[in-house]
DNA sequence: TAGATTGTTAATCGATTAACAATC
DNA sequence: TAGATTGTTAATCGATTAACAATC
């Protein structure tokens, strides 16, 4: 059982560990030390051992970690065996891309239904997930056990839909809209995928890099003139 | 000019400031204090002032910050006025969704071309962005000035395409594939959008919440039995 | 001028890294 | 047994928060 509050930084590293362990598994590696794992992930062995020790003792002195066993532990910590049920609200571009490409089941999540207002979609199925009318969202939530809502509606509809979701007891919202959903007082868990935030952060680093290059070139220029 | 290395945490907050300032602007708010901004974003006033002070003095004692001016400063810091040029590699589900829905120009980035191997797409345009054959990627990079590549190809093609991109001097890769692109030695900037990492982190918090509820219920149960 | 609020220095807090005894 | 590597305690480092003089 988890006792102490584990920091967000640690939680964010867990999926990376999981992915690396899956990769090791595929390559037939069944055993790994924190030193080796650290090198492959760009982390210190200390950090890795500290991270794991938040949840238990998964290794063995003199040996390291058993890859499949550690993988199973982390999957358990992340709740992948709990069979969380999700619905998708908004089957537009991004919603459709998620249904088609993204493997919810690889994350241990079951996508049970989708909702949209577009007449041509309502009543159809995609990859055996039924698409219902948006107007049925509220009654569906009341009548079914749903943990997670994937919010992929247009910006204008986001607030209205969020209200329906939170008022009908959804645990968590995976937010693909570009609005700030996180409310200070709300008990609903919100996880944002903000494409523009991600791109802009990257742009900062590109700009920084270019400035460094320019500064270096300017210095070289000055040095040359001095000769 | 930027002198000191600014921490990643600060950089990740900049796009949030930007979004909030845009919202304030739309609502006709032209002036804000760090106290008020902090309340709206769930940050301390101290942190906000510290963040900004990494880049300059944007406020005024006794007054606060001018919203449009601060917005412009942050946009500048993020490199939004530099006219970075991007290409999209892979016009599948997610690539197409980005072309259709995502506003590159809102981030100050110009999407100049897209590439795919699908015959029916090659030679067409989408929203006035030309789609070329994947085989033309390398020559395009040599002949054109491109800063950013948006990588939205299937998993299997990711490594091969990344090699072409890095060998032809791309500055940064916005990675939508689920593979770990970050190489320790590579000079290429990589920004990952890992859907599954995001969903799994969220699942952890959902699981934690449920465990807390269960524990509370169990405690209540025991208390009742004692009576 | 008086009140408000900045930018910055100092204090605190938390996360990462180092060290090491325990033990496989 | 000897070597390797863990889990954990202590030390360091960095980020956040608090305090306050400067000043609009």
């Amino acid at each position: 059982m988890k006792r102490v509050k584990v920091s967000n930084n640690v939680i964010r590293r867990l999926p990376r560990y999981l992915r690396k362990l899956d990769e090791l598994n595929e390559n037939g590696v069944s055993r790994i030390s924190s030193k080796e794992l650290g090198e492959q992930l760009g982390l210190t062995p200390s950090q890795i051992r500290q991270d794991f020790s938040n949840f238990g003792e998964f290794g063995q002195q003199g040996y390291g970690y058993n890859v499949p066993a550690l993988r199973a532990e982390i999957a358990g910590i992340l709740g992948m065996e709990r069979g969380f049920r999700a619905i998708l609200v908004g089957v537009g571009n991004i919603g459709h891309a998620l249904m088609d490409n993204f493997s919810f089941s690889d994350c241990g999540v079951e996508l049970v239904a989708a909702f949209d207002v577009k007449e041509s979609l309502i009543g159809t199925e995609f990859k055996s997930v039924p698409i219902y009318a948006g107007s049925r969202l509220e009654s569906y939530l009341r009548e079914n056990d749903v943990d997670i809502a994937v919010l992929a509606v247009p910006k204008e509809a986001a607030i209205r839909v969020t209200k329906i979701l939170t008022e009908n007891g959804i645990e968590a919202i995976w937010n693909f809209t570009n609005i700030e959903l996180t409310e200070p007082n709300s008990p609903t868990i919100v996880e944002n995928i903000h494409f523009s935030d991600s791109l802009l952060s990257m742009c900062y680093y590109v700009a920084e890099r270019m400035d460094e290059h320019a500064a270096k070139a300017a210095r070289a220029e000055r040095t040359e003139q001095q000769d």
Side-chain angles (χ1 to χ4, degrees), chain A residues 99 150 188:
Chain A
M99 284 184 101
V150 185
T188 313

Side-chain angles (χ1 to χ4, degrees), chain A residues 79 81-88 108-113 140-141 144-150 165-166 168-174 187-190:
Chain A
E81 269 101 42
R82 296 184 181 221
F84 289 137
R85 292 158 57 89
I87 58 167
L88 169 66
V109 173
E110 189 189 358
L111 185 64
V112 293
Y140 186 94
L141 287 170
N144 295 274
D145 194 19
V146 181
D147 307 295
I148 295 166
V150 185
L165 294 170
T166 52
N168 289 278
I170 208 91
E171 288 286 338
I173 298 175
W174 197 21
T188 313
I189 294 162
V190 175

Side-chain angles (χ1 to χ4, degrees), chain A residues 212-227:
Chain A
E212 280 167 12
H213 284 179
K216 197 175 284 181
R219 271 198 304 277
E221 179 81 12
R222 274 198 303 277
T223 311
E224 210 162 292
Q225 285 181 335
Q226 285 179 346
D227 295 341

